[in-house]
Amino acid sequence: METSKVVTIPDYWTLPKYSLGQRTKQGVIVGIQYYPPNNLLTGLCNESWRYAVLDQNDFSEVAHLEEDKIHPLTPIELRAEIEAEIEVYQCKILILKHQLGAISNA
């Protein structure tokens, strides 16, 4: 069963600049947290968004970055990254098909 998940942001909050799942130069955004103004945790007077970013080189490492520390990929960089990922998956599919063929021939 598929359910639709909707996140509602109150009107008095600023909207986040980046979204969940977005690929950036730092990695993929896997979490977003809002800090209201005068928050004791941040020590900042103004409101801010913090992003949990999964490191693209070490998938076990998550960095928590402020919005101004996030740098989006250019369209060319994004295309190259997605094409490289597609190639990796296509290789995996070929290996799995080979393994499946080996089972059928046994």
Side-chain angles (χ1 to χ4, degrees):
M1 181 170 122
E2 185 176 325
T3 59
S4 175
K5 305 221 188 274
V6 176
V7 176
T8 304
I9 297 174
D11 291 337
Y12 55 91
W13 290 10
T14 60
L15 294 176
K17 192 173 182 180
Y18 306 106
S19 60
L20 285 173
Q22 185 173 351
R23 296 168 187 254
T24 68
K25 291 185 181 189
Q26 293 74 25
V28 177
I29 296 175
V30 294
I32 302 174
Q33 186 169 3
Y34 174 77
Y35 289 92
N38 302 317
N39 186 300
L40 295 176
L41 293 174
T42 62
L44 298 173
C45 293
N46 57 349
E47 65 185 337
S48 66
W49 288 95
R50 301 280 173 99
Y51 298 84
V53 180
L54 185 63
D55 187 298
Q56 58 193 8
N57 298 319
D58 180 2
F59 292 123
S60 64
E61 190 69 31
V62 175
H64 297 274
L65 304 172
E66 296 174 18
E67 197 165 68
D68 63 347
K69 303 290 188 227
I70 303 288
H71 303 288
L73 296 170
T74 66
I76 292 170
E77 292 170 325
L78 182 58
R79 181 179 195 84
E81 191 174 292
I82 292 172
E83 286 174 347
E85 190 171 342
I86 288 170
E87 190 173 319
V88 167
Y89 282 112
Q90 286 176 334
C91 287
K92 288 182 180 184
I93 289 170
L94 286 174
I95 291 168
L96 290 170
K97 284 182 176 181
H98 178 73
Q99 291 174 350
L100 189 58
I103 293 170
S104 299
N105 294 333

